[in-house]
Structure formats: structure tokens, C-alpha cells
Amino acid sequence: MATQHSRSAARIMMAPAVVLLLGWMLVPLTMTLYFSFKKYLPLRGGDLGWVGFDNYVRFVSSSAFWPSVQTTLVIVGGVLLITIILGVLLSILLDQPMWGQGIVRILVIAPFFVMPTVSALVWKNMFMDPVNGLFAHLWEAFGAQPVEWLSDASLLSIIIIVSWQWLPFATLILLTAIQSLDSEQLEAAEMDGAPPLARFGFIILPHLSRAITIVILIQTIFLLAIFAEIFVTTGGAFGTRTLTYLIFQRVLESQNVGLGSAGGVYAIILANIVAIFLMRIVGKNLDA
Amino acid sequence: MGQITLNQITKSFGDVQVIPPLDLQINDGEFVVFVGPSGCGKSTLLRLIAGLEDVSSGAIDIDGTDATEIPPAKRGLAMVFQSYALYPHMSVRKNIAFPLRMAGLDKAAQDAKVDAAAKVLNLTDYLDRRPGQLSGGQRQRVAIGRAIVREPAAFLFDEPLSNLDAALRVNMRLEISELHQSLKTTMIYVTHDQVEAMTMADKIVVLQAGVIEQVGSPLELYHTPRNRFVAGFIGSPKMNFFMGAFASEYNAATIGVRPEHLSVSHTDGKWSGKVGVSEHLGSDTFLYVEVDGVSEPVTVRSTGEVGFRHGDTVHLTPDPDKIHRFDNQGLRIQ
Ligand SMILES: Nc1ncnc2c1ncn2[C@@H]1O[C@H](COP(=O)(O)OP(=O)(O)OP(=O)(O)O)[C@@H](O)[C@H]1O
Ligand SMILES: [Mg+2]
């Protein structure tokens, strides 16, 4: 009896949160679905009625669609690759006893607290500006022609900026994972004749696999939606138009809410495909 | 071969000297046990021999060559850790084969050696499991297997049984002893359990605060402890110590009598006291007797069927040949 009581009490207590969360998710989702089947042009006549799958067909058949999917995947993949490789190296470095460890750790985490818009602007104006940027000065110091980062290497620039923001997150998670490694395992491996590189490959990396999985999953979810970094740097030009950005342009620049909503539904599908794909590959690591 | 000589080695962590200059000779094929209270430096000493810690000064010789600067992997020693330190993501087979793989052995040779070790250790059925799917005793055996396949000059064990329950501990103790009989390899074994020390060792090294108090065979330590510390540490239950008038009768500052060397009687004896707690183990009975002038209760080991009750007045008589005499430095008087 007691358990039944407490169970229904628990349901009542949880209800507000569940309702709020459901509303939070369901309302926008339903509205997106609703508009995606309409021709809705706010400045050019408003609601022009149902059009079935017209918007879906038009969104995919637009010449900008596939390149935007590709751009999205390249950015996500590039950032994941950079943050995980550098994150593993940095976390190993930070795990070594060294002078000023506390300060260094705080400094490493700092970029995570900078707003995406701000950090993108700082990178754009202070580092990547072809005239006044630090990189330009550096290139000139070596007598080279400064690179026009945001137009000539636009995708790479965005990947660098976003990686800089997400590296602290990866490092932090990987560092805590490394700290939980039993030092006797490393000592045992050392006695078993494993040189440092083998110890890294056979002991440290497998130990980190779970943490790496988590970093990949969480980052992917957030990286699929990056927007501010593109908005303030290239504005979607020079091949940096991601799916998110394309939707933004459809809705706000061309004022076509229906078409944008159809794009939103595609984005949801893409995110789910990626998520299922990732879960399949890395999910094994989680239950080991 | 597995002869290890420690020459005036010391170890300091920062300003704290954990091991003052220490000499020790370990002969080939010996089973040497380091015992001592917690924090006395047993693990540190073992890690120095293994090479996992660097000595602050002094030299370590293994089989006649100076090994002080040789890295752990090249010393030809294998270590079994207290936490077992198995590699959790590898199967038992891969765990045991790891040192062979690192040594660059081909697959067939690896498998042959792993299978042989698994047979010795009764692990054949578990080779494909992960360490997480094994019991404590099985994990312990995997750790030993990983050490055996390397065919080391000596095995180093750091309290390998302390995570096991009492029954399993007795079993594993026998297994390790048997392993030593069959391999005849030098083994150095750290424990703070003096029963393990007494039962397994050819040679016991008693440590206190990094200093070797005595080195000798279990019976040597039992019969002729060099000082009060060793006398109190070796033997279970502990030796009883008497001071003051009790001791001066024997021209000593302190005398020690083991519980098994006291006879107890209702009627007459040398010292008298009141029975406190008595523990009946079936085979033996341990009586804790309050004797005036002795601060701690005197432990007496008696036969299983004695009729003493709480509060009875009893008389104790020591076996005169088995009294240990110590001077006021705590050293044994011959
Ligand atoms: N890395 C270290 N840094 C500083 N002090 C240390 C370090 N390792 C050990 N010590 C000190 O050295 C002393 C001996 O430690 P050790 O681990 O050898 O004890 P032990 O005899 O193995 O004890 P136990 O039976 O509890 O395992 C202890 O006082 C300990 O605090
Ligand atoms: Mg220890």
C-alpha cells in the first residue's frame, strides 16, 4: 500500500515538470509541423492555405540543400576530431603534476564561459582579420601573404572557432576520466614491459573510451545547431551555410515560414539519424 | 636466478625519510616475507625493489648486476598488486598475455604459455571473460598468471590477499605456497598479517618505521626474538609482558611469556589473578586474566575443556625455559 501511495504521490509531484517539459517540446514541434504543410509568407499575403508536401519537396530540391547538409557534417566532424584529439592530449598534460596546476586548469576551462557570439567576434576581428588580425601580423612577420581566413578558408575558420569553444568541455570530461584511472594499472603495465606509447594505447585510451563517447554524443547534439558563430563571421557565405543557417535564411531572409519549417523537420530527422548512428557505434562503450 | 641485494638503500619523500639506510640479502629461491605494522614502509621497500620508486641513495643488486638505474620492465621482476591491477577492458587471456605481447612473442607462443599458466591456476574456463566478471579469488589468480608467464627472476606480492575473505585467504595462501614449491622462484611477499608471514615464509623480515628489526626464519623469530617489538609482533595471541618486580626476579627490565607457555591452575602457581573474558575456540581456550601489577590482561592459552569462569581466582606459572628476558633498551638478554 505504502508503495502505491508513494508512487501516485511521486506522479503528482513530477507532473508539473513533465507537463512543462512536454509543452516546451511539443508546442514548437507541433507548430513546426503545422507550418511546414502551409504556404505562409508573412509579408507577402500571410497564410495562403494548405499545400501538402510542397514545402518538403521544394526544400530538398533547392540547390542549397545538399551542400548545407554536407557543410553541417563537415563542421560537426571536424570539430569533434579536433576537440577529442586535443582534449585527450591536454587532459593528459593537465594530469601531470606541474607548477601552477590550479591556475592552468581554470585558464583551460575559460573559453567555455565566453558567449559564442563574443568569441566568434573576437576571433574574426582580433585573430583572423586580414589587415589587423594577429594571424595577419604573424604571417607578415615571416614575410608571407596574410590569409583571408573568413573568405579563403571559411569552413576551416569556423571549425577552428567552434573547436576553441568546445575544447574545454572535452578536456574537462576527459581529465576527470583520466584522474579516475587506477595508477596501479599503469604501474602494472610498466612492469609488464609496456613503453609509454603502449601504455597510452592499451590502458589510457580504452579507459577513456566511455568519456570520449559521452563527449561525442553531447557535442554532436550542440554542434548540429551552431548558429551564432556563422552569423557573425561569414553570414553563411563562402560555403559555410549549414542546415540550421539555411533554415534561418528561408524563414527570416526570404520570409517563407512554411519552407523554413519543412527544413526544420528535415533537421530533426538528420539529428535523429546522426544520433541513432552514433548510439549504434558508441553505445556499446556505454554498457561495457 | 633471483638473488637480490639491497645495499644501504634509503628513501625519502620530500623531507621525510621513510626508509633509513637498510641492508638486506635475499637468496635465490627464497620466500621472503616483509611484515610490520601499517605505514612502516613495506610497500615502499617493495616498490623500490620493483623500480616503481627510485631510491634516494644506495644500490640494488639483482643477480650480481647493479639494477639501481634499470627501469622496472628490465629488472626481470613481476609484481602482483593489492588491487590486482588487471586491465578491465581485456579478457583474462589478453590480460595474461599482455607481458608476452609487449615482449613481442608471436601469437602461438603466447597462447601456449597462457594456456599452461591457466591450467596451473585453474583459470582455463574463464579465459574469455573480463576481469569484472570474476570473483575476487579468480582475479587474484589472473594477476598471478600475468606474473607467472613472464618467468621472472622474482615475484613481488604486495598484500595480495587482503581483499579476500578469511576462508579464501587460507586457500590462496596454500596455493601461493604450492606455487613457490613448484616454481622455486624467489618470492617477496608483503603482508601485515603475521599468520601469513609465519606460515609461508622461509625468511621473515620484520620492519618498524623503515628499520629492519630482525631477519630470520619463522621459528627463529618465534623462539629468539631480538627485541620486544619482534617478540610482541610475532606470535598469536601476542606475548605477555611483565615489568617491575615480576621482571627483576629474572634480572631483566621486562620479561615476556607467550600465552602457550603459561600453565593455569585453581590451586597454586607463581602469579595469581582473576579471570576476565574467556574465549572458547573448541581446540583452545584463551583466558584473559587480570593480574595485579600488570597493566594489560595476561593472555593464557589453555586446552579446550577448562572449567574457568568469569571472576574465578586462578594461579599462573610460566614455563621457566620459555621466558624471554629484555633489558631496559628492549633488547633480548641471552
Ligand atoms: N608517495 C608518497 N609520498 C609521501 N609519503 C609517502 C608516499 N608513499 C608512502 N609514503 C609514506 O611512507 C610511509 C610508508 O608507506 P608504505 O606504503 O610503504 O607503508 P606500508 O608498510 O606498506 O603500510 P600498509 O601496511 O598500510 O600498506 C608512510 O608513512 C607513508 O605515509
Ligand atoms: Mg602497503
Side-chain angles (χ1 to χ4, degrees):
Chain A
M1 289 306 275
T3 53
Q4 208 162 25
H5 266 146
S6 56
R7 223 178 273 155
S8 51
R11 282 211 190 107
I12 293 170
M13 305 255 212
M14 276 179 359
V18 173
V19 168
L20 200 69
L21 277 176
L22 268 183
W24 204 263
M25 256 177 50
L26 280 183
V27 172
L29 188 64
T30 330
M31 281 176 69
T32 308
L33 278 172
Y34 173 77
F35 283 123
S36 69
F37 292 107
K38 294 209 122 174
K39 189 172 172 82
Y40 187 64
L41 309 167
L43 296 185
R44 285 171 283 155
D47 193 345
L48 300 176
W50 298 97
V51 290
F53 282 91
D54 235 28
N55 286 326
Y56 288 90
V57 177
R58 271 186 58 199
F59 195 88
V60 194
S61 52
S62 125
S63 62
F65 177 72
W66 285 110
S68 77
V69 171
Q70 194 190 345
T71 309
T72 309
L73 294 180
V74 168
I75 290 182
V76 171
V79 173
L80 282 179
L81 205 68
I82 292 180
T83 50
I84 284 172
I85 293 177
L86 290 185
V88 168
L89 297 180
L90 256 181
S91 59
I92 290 177
L93 197 68
L94 289 179
D95 191 41
Q96 309 296 321
M98 59 176 173
W99 189 82
Q101 199 174 40
I103 303 252
V104 173
R105 284 187 188 171
I106 288 174
L107 284 179
V108 167
I109 295 162
F112 204 48
F113 297 120
V114 179
M115 279 175 278
T117 327
V118 176
S119 82
L121 281 174
V122 167
W123 274 92
K124 178 186 177 186
N125 296 323
M126 287 183 64
F127 288 100
M128 292 173 168
D129 190 282
V131 181
N132 297 316
L134 280 179
F135 287 162
H137 288 304
L138 190 68
W139 257 245
E140 271 165 5
F142 286 99
Q145 179 71 27
V147 180
E148 303 236 0
W149 283 93
L150 290 170
S151 45
D152 292 348
S154 48
L155 210 51
L156 178 65
S157 306
I158 299 225
I159 291 177
I160 292 176
I161 296 172
V162 178
S163 298
W164 181 81
Q165 280 169 24
W166 282 93
L167 185 57
F169 173 77
T171 308
L172 205 63
I173 299 226
L174 294 171
L175 179 61
T176 52
I178 278 198
Q179 284 170 336
S180 74
L181 176 60
D182 176 12
S183 65
E184 284 195 345
Q185 267 180 42
L186 287 176
E187 286 174 346
E190 190 180 348
M191 293 212 60
D192 282 344
L197 221 55
R199 291 206 287 276
F200 174 76
F202 287 109
I203 314 292
I204 298 180
L205 215 51
H207 176 78
L208 286 183
S209 63
R210 192 182 295 213
I212 291 177
T213 308
I214 290 171
V215 169
I216 291 181
L217 281 177
I218 294 182
Q219 283 201 18
T220 306
I221 293 168
F222 284 93
L223 293 179
L224 280 173
I226 53 164
F227 177 78
E229 294 85 342
I230 301 169
F231 185 72
V232 301
T233 52
T234 60
F238 311 114
T240 59
R241 184 156 51 189
T242 60
L243 195 54
T244 323
Y245 206 86
L246 183 66
I247 296 167
F248 160 77
Q249 285 185 333
R250 290 288 183 263
V251 174
L252 282 161
E253 287 176 10
S254 14
Q255 289 289 331
N256 190 338
V257 175
L259 194 58
S261 297
V265 175
Y266 279 122
I268 295 170
I269 294 171
L270 176 73
N272 277 293
I273 291 175
V274 173
I276 291 170
F277 197 59
L278 281 176
M279 288 285 191
R280 275 281 166 83
I281 309 176
V282 291
K284 284 192 304 248
N285 281 333
L286 282 179
D287 45 52
Chain B
M1 284 296 285
Q3 190 174 28
I4 300 170
T5 312
L6 309 182
N7 250 325
Q8 290 290 304
I9 60 165
T10 67
K11 176 68 190 176
S12 308
F13 291 110
D15 297 337
V16 189
Q17 191 171 50
V18 178
I19 311 259
L22 178 148
D23 289 302
L24 184 66
Q25 163 83 37
I26 293 163
N27 296 320
D28 186 32
E30 246 177 352
F31 197 116
V32 178
V33 175
F34 294 169
V35 278
S38 191
C40 68
K42 307 179 293 287
S43 299
T44 307
L45 192 54
L46 198 70
R47 292 166 58 83
L48 288 174
I49 296 174
L52 293 172
E53 303 275 1
D54 294 326
V55 293
S56 302
S57 69
I60 298 173
D61 252 48
I62 298 176
D63 289 334
T65 49
D66 183 3
T68 320
E69 300 297 327
I70 297 180
K74 302 269 164 60
R75 294 192 184 190
L77 308 175
M79 183 146 166
V80 176
F81 292 83
Q82 181 171 359
S83 67
Y84 315 140
L86 301 179
Y87 311 128
H89 49 272
M90 295 184 200
S91 66
V92 168
R93 175 180 291 282
K94 289 213 170 122
N95 260 283
I96 298 180
F98 189 73
L100 305 173
R101 190 166 164 198
M102 288 299 116
L105 241 67
D106 63 69
K107 194 85 183 65
Q110 284 182 26
D111 281 345
K113 286 196 172 196
V114 172
D115 288 332
K119 209 165 149 207
V120 173
L121 295 165
N122 282 324
L123 284 171
T124 313
D125 296 339
Y126 307 108
L127 280 177
D128 295 320
R129 294 211 198 161
R130 296 272 181 98
Q133 301 162 320
L134 298 178
S135 72
Q138 289 162 346
R139 283 181 212 180
Q140 182 62 68
R141 288 205 287 265
V142 177
I144 295 175
R146 197 172 62 187
I148 292 180
V149 290
R150 293 181 52 197
E151 295 171 5
F155 289 96
L156 312 177
F157 294 92
D158 191 355
E159 307 206 20
L161 307 186
S162 57
N163 291 341
L164 304 179
D165 70 50
L168 196 54
R169 203 180 297 177
V170 174
N171 268 340
M172 286 304 299
R173 201 165 81 196
L174 291 174
E175 281 186 31
I176 293 178
S177 290
E178 244 157 51
L179 196 67
H180 179 242
Q181 294 298 331
S182 60
L183 294 177
K184 304 215 175 346
T185 311
T186 311
M187 290 190 178
I188 306 178
Y189 187 103
V190 166
T191 177
H192 56 239
D193 179 351
Q194 56 102 10
V195 177
E196 271 173 32
M198 293 296 281
T199 50
M200 301 171 88
D202 293 323
K203 182 153 103 184
I204 297 181
V205 177
V206 183
L207 289 160
Q208 185 189 211
V211 179
I212 294 183
E213 296 287 349
Q214 189 169 4
V215 180
S217 71
L219 289 183
E220 255 172 71
L221 299 193
Y222 178 82
H223 290 302
T224 53
R226 213 170 61 85
N227 55 33
R228 256 194 76 167
F229 177 79
V230 178
F233 197 79
I234 299 291
S236 168
K238 279 175 64 171
M239 185 185 278
N240 301 298
F241 291 105
F242 302 86
M243 280 174 279
F246 295 96
S248 45
E249 185 183 336
Y250 294 91
N251 297 321
T254 311
I255 58 169
V257 185
R258 295 196 184 276
E260 50 272 41
H261 299 144
L262 279 167
S263 54
V264 56
S265 141
H266 275 299
T267 49
D268 59 330
K270 208 166 165 61
W271 305 314
S272 63
K274 271 202 169 63
V275 176
V277 178
S278 48
E279 294 174 338
H280 297 273
L281 303 182
S283 57
D284 298 306
T285 301
F286 295 125
L287 302 173
Y288 296 91
V289 181
E290 310 274 356
V291 176
D292 276 344
V294 182
S295 51
E296 284 179 32
V298 175
T299 317
V300 181
R301 177 175 165 191
S302 181
T303 55
E305 318 279 327
V306 286
F308 296 105
R309 290 163 182 282
H310 190 92
D312 283 1
T313 300
V314 291
H315 303 272
L316 306 175
T317 313
D319 180 342
D321 300 336
K322 302 283 171 64
I323 294 176
H324 302 268
R325 299 185 303 142
F326 302 99
D327 63 18
N328 51 15
Q329 312 282 296
L331 288 178
R332 180 183 189 79
I333 304 172
Q334 288 305 328

